């Protein structure tokens, strides 16, 4: 920022406006900055870029394109082959190949001792999984939907999440609870809740929400190998989506974000199925000359805060896109992180795009109106850029 003579004698805090003048935008500050300031910023950006997440490796060469469903199936198969302590249990996972065909073919390959059909008793088979993990097995518990998991929440929250702490470290809890999360199409209020904020509130749980086939496979493998309870949130609307997935072995560490699109005008922070919405919004904005970072958290507990900070410090604007409701959502936590660590870098308030604050309607047009989508995301980006 070009400073007046007064400012050189009495330096102001970084980002504070001159007396009687409106604060310059980030574009104006860059254009008017003296060489020393620009050099310092470039140096800081290089440091931030070194900490930023990168897109998935390209060393694999040409990769097959498969569905999200098949990526999960591959992850389960490979981990069942790799470790005979791993087993899958849930409603219809065996004979019926899973309600969404994620476990197709696993019963035939691994047998009924490792691919276990259960009655419609979420609390019961979640508890069996907790007990199995306590004695050294590595169960993968499938809920037909996380909306049904509410019946088993005592085992997830009071047993799995707290056992390691309550036992003084004697009982690790290597268990994965997985299934579709959030809304699909016209499943109405009781089958359309996004559960990540509920689960991420609990110390002791790790919460993962992959939005692409590549991420789904790599993160599920990491979740199965983790010695802590992991809540793995999939999506009915994601199962048929396709993406590149390498045939070679790979594992994505939990707690690492991914940069789905790169830009310098604004940042979108998101996770789960909203990653697809964010990418579509970014691609549409690019046609208008607006370039945005899309930071896909992938894991919402723990959060890769350094990836968020690096992006916001570069773009100076942030929109948080989430599937769930506004009140007490994961997005609120992300906004808190940003305002604490990036306040002086912001050129606009952080905005959130989220579901309307109502139970999910059944009527198609009302459901569409309630969900976060591409137009709402684009509108938020333009607001933080003061274009609307």
């Amino acid at each position: 920022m070009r400073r007046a003579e007064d400012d050189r004698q009495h330096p102001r805090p970084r980002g504070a406006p001159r007396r009687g003048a409106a604060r310059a935008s980030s574009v104006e500050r860059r254009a008017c900055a003296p060489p020393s300031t620009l050099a310092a910023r470039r140096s800081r950006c290089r440091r931030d870029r070194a900490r930023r997440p990168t897109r998935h490796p390209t060393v694999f060469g040409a990769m097959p394109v498969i569905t999200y469903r098949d990526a999960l199936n591959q992850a389960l198969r490979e981990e069942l082959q790799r470790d005979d302590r791993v087993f899958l249990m849930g409603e219809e996972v065996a004979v019926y190949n899973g309600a969404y065909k994620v476990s197709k073919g696993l019963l035939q390959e691994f047998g009924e001792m490792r691919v276990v059909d259960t009655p419609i008793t979420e609390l019961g088979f979640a508890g069996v999984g907790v007990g199995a993990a306590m004695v050294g097995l590595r169960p993968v518990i499938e809920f037909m939907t996380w909306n049904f998991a509410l019946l088993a929440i005592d085992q997830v929250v009071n047993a799995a999440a707290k056992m390691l702490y309550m036992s003084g470290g004697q009982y690790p809890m290597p268990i994965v609870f997985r299934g579709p999360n959030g809304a699909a199409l016209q499943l109405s209020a009781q089958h359309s809740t996004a559960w990540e904020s509920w689960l991420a509130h609990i110390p002791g749980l790790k919460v993962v929400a992959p939005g692409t086939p590549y991420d789904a496979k790599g993160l599920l493998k990491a979740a199965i190998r983790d010695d802590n309870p992991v809540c793995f949130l999939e999506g009915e609307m994601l199962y048929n989506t396709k993406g590149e997935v390498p045939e070679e072995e790979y594992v994505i560490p939990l707690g690492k974000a991914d940069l789905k699109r790169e830009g310098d005008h604004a940042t979108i922070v998101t996770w789960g199925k909203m990653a697809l919405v964010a990418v579509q919004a970014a691609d549409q904005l690019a046609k208008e000359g607006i370039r945005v970072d899309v930071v896909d958290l992938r894991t919402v507990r723990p959060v890769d805060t350094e990836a968020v900070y690096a992006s916001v410090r570069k773009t100076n604007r942030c929109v948080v896109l989430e599937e769930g409701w506004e009140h007490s959502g994961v997005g609120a936590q992300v906004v808190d992180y940003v305002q604490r660590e990036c306040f002086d870098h912001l050129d606009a308030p952080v905005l959130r795009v989220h579901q309307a604050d109502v139970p999910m309607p059944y009527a198609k047009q009302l459901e569409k109106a309630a969900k976060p989508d591409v137009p709402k995301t684009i509108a938020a980006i333009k607001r933080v850029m003061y274009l609307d």
Side-chain angles (χ1 to χ4, degrees):
M1 190 183 297
R2 183 178 292 148
R3 293 178 178 170
E5 206 60 40
D6 287 359
D7 296 327
R8 294 194 185 97
Q9 295 171 10
H10 306 286
R12 289 167 286 110
R14 184 187 179 282
R18 286 192 292 273
R19 201 171 291 172
R23 184 182 176 191
S25 71
S26 60
V27 175
E28 291 168 333
R29 292 201 303 273
R30 291 183 191 119
C32 300
S36 60
T37 303
L38 288 173
R41 284 193 176 181
R42 290 189 186 108
S43 175
R44 185 166 59 250
C45 285
R46 282 194 293 270
R47 290 196 304 271
D48 285 343
R49 196 175 295 119
R51 292 195 294 263
R52 296 183 71 191
T54 56
R55 297 182 191 177
H56 57 253
T58 56
V59 295
F60 297 114
M63 293 186 279
V65 175
I66 64 174
T67 65
Y68 189 101
R69 171 189 292 108
D70 289 338
L72 293 170
N73 180 274
Q74 286 184 8
L76 289 168
R77 176 173 279 104
E78 290 173 13
E79 292 308 300
L80 285 161
Q81 292 170 343
R82 174 181 171 274
D83 189 340
D84 60 11
R85 296 172 298 170
V86 176
F87 70 96
L88 174 66
M89 180 167 57
E91 297 159 1
E92 300 181 346
V93 299
V95 175
Y96 192 67
N97 289 317
Y100 301 98
K101 301 298 181 276
V102 170
S103 53
K104 184 177 180 179
L106 298 184
L107 174 64
Q108 290 76 12
E109 183 172 348
F110 299 101
E112 61 185 14
M113 292 297 289
R114 299 186 66 199
V115 183
V116 184
D117 272 333
T118 69
I120 303 175
T121 53
E122 284 81 5
L123 178 64
F125 64 76
V128 170
V130 169
M134 290 177 67
V135 297
L137 299 180
R138 307 188 82 86
V140 178
I141 305 301
E142 178 178 312
F143 296 124
M144 194 176 293
T145 163
W146 273 95
N147 295 282
F148 297 161
L150 189 59
L151 299 165
I153 206 70
D154 179 62
Q155 290 295 333
V156 177
V157 169
N158 277 330
K162 300 172 182 175
M163 188 59 67
L164 180 67
Y165 177 83
M166 293 175 65
S167 67
Q170 296 181 75
Y171 288 105
M173 188 54 56
I175 185 170
V176 176
F177 300 101
R178 51 161 292 268
N181 173 60
L185 291 175
Q186 290 189 275
L187 296 183
S188 194
Q190 292 178 320
H191 291 179
S192 300
T193 303
W195 290 97
E196 59 265 32
S197 62
W198 296 57
L199 298 166
H201 185 65
I202 307 301
L205 294 179
K206 295 185 178 182
V207 184
V208 181
T212 67
Y214 177 90
D215 293 341
K217 180 177 179 180
L219 289 167
L220 182 54
K221 290 170 70 70
I224 293 171
R225 299 181 189 187
D226 201 286
D227 286 332
N228 299 284
V230 180
C231 296
F232 198 88
L233 310 181
E234 301 159 13
E236 289 177 53
M237 301 303 293
L238 292 174
Y239 286 131
N240 284 330
T241 60
K242 293 183 177 181
E244 292 184 332
V245 176
E247 294 176 331
E248 294 85 354
E249 165 82 3
Y250 73 97
V251 177
I252 299 174
L254 303 185
K256 297 296 292 183
D258 183 46
L259 193 63
K260 292 290 192 286
R261 290 289 186 274
E262 188 166 3
D264 54 5
H265 289 142
T267 296
I268 301 175
V269 180
T270 191
W271 56 91
K273 66 167 70 77
M274 289 297 104
L276 299 185
V277 174
V279 166
Q280 291 168 14
D283 291 345
Q284 288 192 31
L285 287 164
K287 296 175 183 177
E288 302 178 38
I290 300 172
R291 302 178 301 274
V292 300
D293 267 5
V294 175
V295 179
D296 181 1
L297 295 180
R298 303 193 293 194
T299 303
V300 295
R301 187 175 181 118
V303 173
D304 187 356
T305 53
E306 289 304 318
V308 176
Y309 300 156
S311 178
V312 174
R313 287 166 183 161
K314 178 185 71 167
T315 67
N316 309 112
R317 296 172 173 87
C318 183
V319 169
V320 183
L321 170 61
E322 61 187 310
E323 185 180 4
W325 293 303
E326 177 183 24
H327 192 79
S328 304
V330 173
Q333 184 63 52
V334 174
V335 173
D336 178 59
Y337 289 143
V338 171
Q339 66 85 21
R340 271 192 274 163
E341 300 297 331
C342 303
F343 184 82
D344 287 339
H345 296 265
L346 291 172
D347 283 340
V350 181
L351 295 185
R352 294 171 62 194
V353 180
H354 48 78
Q355 182 186 323
D357 194 26
V358 295
M360 184 63 73
Y362 172 75
K364 185 179 294 185
Q365 295 305 316
L366 291 176
E367 180 185 54
K368 183 179 180 181
K371 290 179 177 179
D373 58 17
V374 171
K376 294 170 187 173
T377 306
I378 290 175
I381 290 292
K382 290 184 176 181
R383 281 183 63 195
V384 299
M385 295 184 67
Y386 300 111
L387 297 175
D388 280 344

